[in-house]
């Protein structure tokens, strides 16, 4: 069995993980946007800061999944 | 101060968050369970770790955003305008006990309502709650809205500290007695409040408050203090608790001996105290404290809640109703007045108002505080009694106690009424 065949389940899992993470990120962005409406003040700033940091983390994880899946093991 | 946010939208955000976190946890599990070639093991494990960290961070945001949204729904405009919801969010967002205590102190400075503390503490686990209680037992023990179990722990620490620094042997004896196990259950006593300053205040819970079908709060009158608590209020409350429990054996009953305010000193103990007794100021201050306590334990508007006020304590119970409490029933026992001419002035159509007057009870005939509630014109249902004088209402095996118990247990068939004067 070649290395590529051996890695097939992992590649599938990574693609699935990337898709799921992307889905989650979209859900988060949508519900966050609805929550932001009309909200001003200190807590809104904190929320925006946390969300921005978190969105970067999710984007990085999606990228890592795709990179790993695309690597020829 | 944060304004304008939609509580429903924030609630949706935190609920959607729970679903997303569950999905992320599944993705992580998938990566941990899939067959991984040797050289891919490390990056895949790292990926799984990063996802677990993300889940934790998202949970932390969801917690404070959810609490913030619910805090916005608290009906206290002044508090919200003072930035109350932000303070709740800040208190929820911290992970360490010191930070939690700082958050509670900030909420205290902003004169926050009990619901704010309930939100701020809703994610405490038992271990962290104990650490918070140890850091500031007086604050935790006296804060309405915090979980009752945490307050029991904190107030035990308060009692121990007070006992250790008591110079007066009499006071030390009183505190030692409060620290001793409950003779009926053998367990630690459950104090919702211990304040040993001056006359002192104590609130003790008998039974399991959280699972109770029926809750009764007994409010004492003049002359009660820390020193008399175990001699009068506590045994009276215990007898009522036991009698009500016996009437509703398949249900849970809890009783609260509520010396949560400073009643006026007794006339006979202090001859100069007459003016103080005749003022309703203590009752009104106590009424506000009673409303807070009821809100804090989540039974302020429950139909199964009965408030029994004895003597001046009935005036305090009346003040609590006028200040917003909506118990299922109020019993004015040996009452010198209920601050109204007629029960309709309470504007509580769902609350039942009872009175009790034993022969020879001179206090119950005074009508010091507005009208005489025992008059049939006052609108109270008068419960039958059998004792004599002002202090026999809670006597063991008495008809008076049985009648009080019937009201507490919701056993209308066992309530015995008599005509008012």
């Amino acid at each position: 069995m070649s290395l590529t065949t051996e890695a097939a389940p992992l590649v599938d899992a990574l693609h699935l993980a990337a898709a799921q993470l992307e889905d989650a990120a979209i859900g988060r962005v949508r519900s966050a946007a609805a929550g932001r409406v009309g909200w001003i003040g200190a807590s809104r700033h904190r929320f925006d800061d946390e969300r921005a940091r978190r969105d970067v983390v999710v984007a990085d994880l999606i990228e890592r999944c795709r990179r790993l899946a695309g690597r020829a093991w | 101060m944060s304004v304008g946010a939609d509580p429903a939208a924030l609630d949706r955000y935190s609920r959607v968050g729970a679903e997303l976190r569950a999905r992320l946890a599944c993705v992580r599990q998938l990566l941990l369970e899939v067959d991984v070639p040797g050289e891919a093991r490390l990056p895949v494990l790292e990926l799984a770790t990063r996802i677990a960290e993300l889940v934790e961070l998202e949970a932390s945001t969801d917690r404070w955003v959810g609490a913030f949204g619910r805090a916005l729904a608290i009906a206290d405009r002044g508090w919200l305008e003072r930035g109350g919801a932000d303070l709740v969010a800040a208190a929820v967002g911290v992970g360490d006990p010191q930070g939690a205590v700082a958050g509670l102190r900030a909420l205290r400075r902003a004169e926050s309502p009990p619901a704010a503390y309930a939100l701020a503490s809703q994610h405490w686990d038992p271990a962290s709650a104990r650490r918070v209680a140890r850091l500031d037992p007086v604050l935790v023990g006296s804060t309405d809205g915090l979980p009752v179990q945490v307050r029991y722990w904190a107030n035990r620490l308060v009692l121990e500290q007070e006992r250790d620094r008591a110079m007066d042997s009499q006071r030390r004896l009183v505190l030692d007695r409060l620290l001793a196990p409950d003779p009926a259950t053998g367990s630690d006593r459950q104090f919702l409040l211990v304040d040993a300053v001056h006359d002192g205040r104590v609130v003790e819970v008998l039974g399991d408050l959280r699972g109770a079908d029926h809750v009764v709060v007994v409010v004492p009158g003049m002359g009660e203090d820390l020193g008399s608590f175990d001699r009068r209020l506590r045994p009276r409350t215990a007898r009522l608790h036991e009698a009500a429990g016996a009437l509703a054996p398949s249900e849970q009953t809890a009783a609260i001996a509520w010396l949560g305010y400073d009643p006026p000193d007794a006339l006979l103990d202090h001859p100069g105290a007459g003016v103080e007794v005749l003022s309703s100021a203590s009752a009104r201050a106590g009424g506000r404290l009673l409303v807070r306590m009821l809100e804090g334990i989540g039974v302020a508007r429950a139909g199964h809640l009965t408030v029994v006020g004895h003597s001046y304590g009935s005036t305090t119970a009346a003040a609590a109703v006028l200040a917003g409490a909506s118990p299922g029933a109020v019993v004015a026992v040996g009452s010198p007045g209920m601050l109204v001419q007629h029960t309709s002035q309470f504007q509580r159509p769902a609350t039942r108002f009872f009175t009790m007057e034993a022969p020879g009870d001179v206090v119950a005939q005074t009508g010091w505080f507005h009208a005489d509630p025992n008059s049939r014109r006052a609108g109270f249902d008068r419960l039958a009694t059998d004792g004599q004088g002002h202090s026999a209402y809670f006597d063991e095996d008495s008809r008076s106690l049985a009648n009080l118990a019937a009201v507490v247990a919701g056993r209308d068939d066992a309530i015995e009424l008599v005509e008012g004067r």
Side-chain angles (χ1 to χ4, degrees):
Chain A
M1 189 167 65
S2 74
L3 196 58
T4 314
T5 313
E6 192 188 338
L10 172 62
V11 170
D12 287 348
L14 286 166
H15 279 306
L16 186 63
Q20 293 272 327
L21 285 167
E22 205 161 45
D23 231 27
I26 291 167
R28 253 326 192 197
V29 166
R30 282 190 184 143
S31 62
R36 277 191 186 95
V37 176
W39 182 5
I40 56 170
S43 292
R44 164 68 192 271
H45 294 313
R46 178 180 169 191
F47 181 71
D48 285 347
D49 284 352
E50 289 191 15
R51 272 275 39 95
R53 282 202 301 273
R54 225 55 58 69
D55 291 343
V56 168
V57 171
V58 178
D60 175 57
L61 287 174
I62 295 168
E63 175 60 27
R64 278 171 186 244
C65 286
R66 294 211 167 112
R67 222 175 324 121
L68 274 172
R71 201 185 280 184
W73 297 104
Chain B
M1 178 181 67
S2 293
V3 292
D6 175 5
L10 295 178
D11 184 50
R12 265 197 305 281
Y13 173 84
S14 60
R15 275 190 292 110
V16 167
E19 291 165 25
L20 296 180
R21 280 185 280 119
R23 193 183 289 184
L24 289 177
C26 288
V27 169
R28 178 175 174 272
Q29 203 54 37
L30 174 77
L31 292 175
L32 289 175
E33 285 172 3
V34 73
D35 286 334
V36 179
E39 58 193 288
R41 203 156 285 149
L42 204 61
V44 168
L45 273 179
E46 196 192 329
L47 199 54
T49 304
R50 295 285 305 269
I51 291 173
E53 288 166 1
L54 177 65
V55 168
E56 276 305 305
L57 290 168
E58 289 285 21
S60 154
T61 306
D62 287 345
R63 278 197 289 270
W64 78 257
V65 171
F68 174 72
R70 285 192 287 282
L72 287 175
I74 292 175
D76 185 337
R77 294 306 317 166
W79 175 74
L80 286 172
E81 282 164 13
R82 292 196 300 279
D86 286 317
L87 296 176
V88 168
V92 170
V94 296
D96 62 298
Q98 276 93 352
V101 169
L104 294 181
R105 288 178 183 153
L107 285 168
R108 181 67 75 95
R109 282 193 296 277
E111 297 173 15
S112 304
Y117 296 99
L119 286 171
S121 60
Q122 66 184 327
H123 299 291
W124 289 357
D125 59 68
S128 62
R130 275 183 188 268
R131 283 196 290 273
V132 174
R134 269 197 294 272
L135 282 172
D136 194 337
V138 171
L139 173 72
V140 173
S142 63
T143 299
D144 290 312
L146 292 180
V148 293
Q149 188 60 53
V150 183
R151 293 181 66 185
Y152 298 159
W153 294 332
N155 284 316
R156 195 157 182 82
L157 296 173
V158 174
L159 271 175
E160 286 168 358
Q161 289 173 357
E162 290 293 341
R163 190 262 322 267
D164 292 347
R165 65 168 159 245
M167 306 296 279
D168 180 284
S169 60
Q170 201 59 30
R171 167 98 7 159
R172 181 181 274 266
L173 201 66
V174 167
L175 295 168
D176 268 336
R177 230 182 6 240
L178 293 174
L179 275 165
D182 181 342
T185 63
S187 309
D188 285 345
R189 291 170 66 176
Q190 306 175 132
F191 293 105
L192 265 189
L193 176 72
V194 172
D195 172 7
V197 177
H198 303 305
D199 286 349
R201 298 182 299 147
V202 193
V203 177
E204 183 177 2
V205 175
L206 310 178
D208 181 3
L209 199 52
R210 288 164 299 181
D213 301 293
H214 307 284
V215 177
V216 58
V217 182
V218 182
V219 185
M222 54 191 180
E224 298 292 343
D225 59 21
L226 191 67
S228 68
F229 183 81
D230 267 353
R231 277 186 282 115
R232 280 197 293 264
L233 178 60
R234 213 279 183 172
R236 284 173 179 172
T237 307
R239 286 196 288 273
L240 179 53
H241 179 226
E242 193 181 339
L247 277 179
S250 60
E251 296 170 313
Q252 293 293 316
T253 304
I256 301 175
W258 192 80
L259 180 58
Y261 79 124
D262 183 17
D265 291 336
L267 277 169
L268 295 177
D269 290 349
H270 301 275
V275 174
E276 191 189 4
V277 172
L278 288 174
S279 160
S280 62
S282 291
R284 291 185 193 277
R288 288 191 292 275
L289 291 169
L290 181 52
V291 170
R292 259 190 96 80
M293 188 277 287
L294 295 173
E295 284 177 1
I297 59 173
V299 299
R301 295 177 188 284
H304 63 176
L305 169 69
T306 302
V307 178
V308 174
H310 177 239
S311 188
Y312 189 87
S314 67
T315 315
T316 305
V321 175
L322 291 170
S326 298
V330 174
V331 189
V333 178
S335 176
M338 295 292 282
L339 303 171
V340 293
Q341 301 291 328
H342 191 273
T343 52
S344 60
Q345 290 171 282
F346 286 123
Q347 299 184 326
R348 291 286 184 280
T351 300
R352 301 171 75 188
F353 291 94
F354 297 94
T355 187
M356 237 181 191
E357 180 192 353
D361 182 348
V362 287
V363 175
Q365 294 169 21
T366 58
W368 278 338
F369 303 106
H370 293 251
D372 174 1
N374 300 293
S375 154
R376 83 182 62 163
R377 290 190 301 276
F380 290 79
D381 285 327
R382 187 169 167 184
L383 296 166
T385 60
D386 56 353
Q388 280 280 328
H390 190 56
S391 302
Y393 297 100
F394 297 86
D395 284 358
E396 199 151 16
D397 298 326
S398 67
R399 188 179 179 195
S400 310
L401 185 69
N403 246 335
L404 286 172
V407 174
V408 172
R411 284 281 309 274
D412 286 10
D413 58 309
I415 293 174
E416 192 183 348
L417 297 176
V418 292
E419 280 290 301
R421 268 193 274 114

